Amino acid sequence: DTEVTQTPKHLVMGMTNKKSLKCEQHMGHRAMYWYKQKAKKPPELMFVYSYEKLSINESVPSRFSPECPNSSLLNLHLHALQPEDSALYLCASSFVSGANVLTFGAGSRLTVL
Amino acid sequence: KQEVTQIPAALSVPEGENLVLNCSFTDSAIYNLQWFRQDPGKGLTSLLLIQSSQREQTSGRLNASLDKSSGRSTLYIAASQPGDSATYLCAVRGDRGSTLGRLYFGRGTQLTVWP
């Protein structure tokens, strides 16, 4: 298995909703990442997990809450989002060494009404 | 802070042409450089990874070079096809201090290859 699987592919939510994005990989990667991408912009790093511990938080608002329950899963819990949070959310994984390639998922398209 | 620039921002060519996409970065302290392809509304597909100690990598019709000291990389696409139409992103991975573990992206080159 050489894929990163993200669910759901599309999500529409109101500003008072609580929802979660999920990411799964079975490549033995111990580093997992969340990126946010707005239209026609490059991806922006949000969080990095290394060996299931949060190693980088790019000053992301607390309405985004990451969770790494085990080495194969990465969640992003969403609560009280704003319309400007609408974007493509990309998950990626890699071996922990900085020399390794990142493998990206297909993304979850989030729309906040 | 690492800055990555890609030129041109957009490129439209007829099928069959050989293409060069350019990427430059300001901080040469990198682990590696990765070229990605992104189709509209989709995720990123890794095309080539060049380690900081390497000069180039090849995969099929794609060839990527890296000149770390001058902070430049090029992606060469031979005999372009309409299926090559996509946005091509260059990203560098920091190797020290606050850049460690981070992937810095350029804004991409939007390529259109017409029949």
Side-chain angles (χ1 to χ4, degrees), chain A residues 33 35 37 40-43 45 48 56-58 88 90 94-102 104-107 109, chain B residues 31-32 34 36 38 40-46 49 51 89 93-94 98 100-108 110:
Chain A
Y33 312 76
Y35 282 83
Q37 187 178 27
K40 298 193 181 298
K41 295 287 180 66
L45 182 64
V48 180
I56 296 176
N57 177 341
E58 292 285 51
L88 181 67
L90 295 163
S94 73
F95 292 109
V96 172
S97 167
N100 287 283
V101 64
L102 264 69
F104 280 80
R109 172 73 60 187
Chain B
Y31 254 130
N32 54 48
Q34 200 166 349
F36 294 91
Q38 187 172 31
K42 305 294 186 182
L44 277 66
T45 300
S46 180
L49 173 74
Q51 303 294 354
L89 292 160
R93 191 155 188 187
S98 63
L100 184 64
R102 288 175 167 79
L103 204 61
Y104 296 89
F105 284 88
R107 297 175 68 95
Q110 187 173 351

Side-chain angles (χ1 to χ4, degrees), chain A residues 1 25-31 51 71-72 93-96:
Chain A
D1 189 349
Q25 58 85 19
H26 297 285
M27 295 179 280
H29 292 169
R30 301 300 293 276
Y51 296 105
S71 60
S72 299
S93 70
S94 73
F95 292 109
V96 172

Side-chain angles (χ1 to χ4, degrees), chain B residues 7-74:
Chain B
I7 295 173
L11 187 60
S12 180
V13 299
E15 182 176 9
E17 283 208 358
N18 300 324
L19 310 172
V20 176
L21 308 183
N22 296 293
C23 172
S24 62
F25 47 95
T26 55
D27 186 349
S28 61
I30 64 168
Y31 254 130
N32 54 48
L33 183 145
Q34 200 166 349
W35 282 94
F36 294 91
R37 169 188 171 137
Q38 187 172 31
D39 293 290
K42 305 294 186 182
L44 277 66
T45 300
S46 180
L47 298 174
L48 289 165
L49 173 74
I50 310 177
Q51 303 294 354
S52 62
S53 59
Q54 296 176 324
R55 297 286 291 184
E56 67 178 311
Q57 284 286 334
T58 298
S59 176
R61 294 182 294 109
L62 305 179
N63 175 276
S65 67
L66 174 64
D67 184 341
K68 182 181 169 183
S69 60
S70 68
R72 294 181 183 178
S73 176
T74 59

Side-chain angles (χ1 to χ4, degrees), chain A residues 61-88:
Chain A
S62 60
R63 57 185 184 268
F64 296 91
S65 176
E67 178 196 21
C68 190
N70 61 55
S71 60
S72 299
L73 294 175
L74 183 66
N75 298 320
L76 186 62
H77 302 298
L78 313 171
H79 175 54
L81 295 193
Q82 304 295 312
E84 59 265 30
D85 296 322
S86 298
L88 181 67

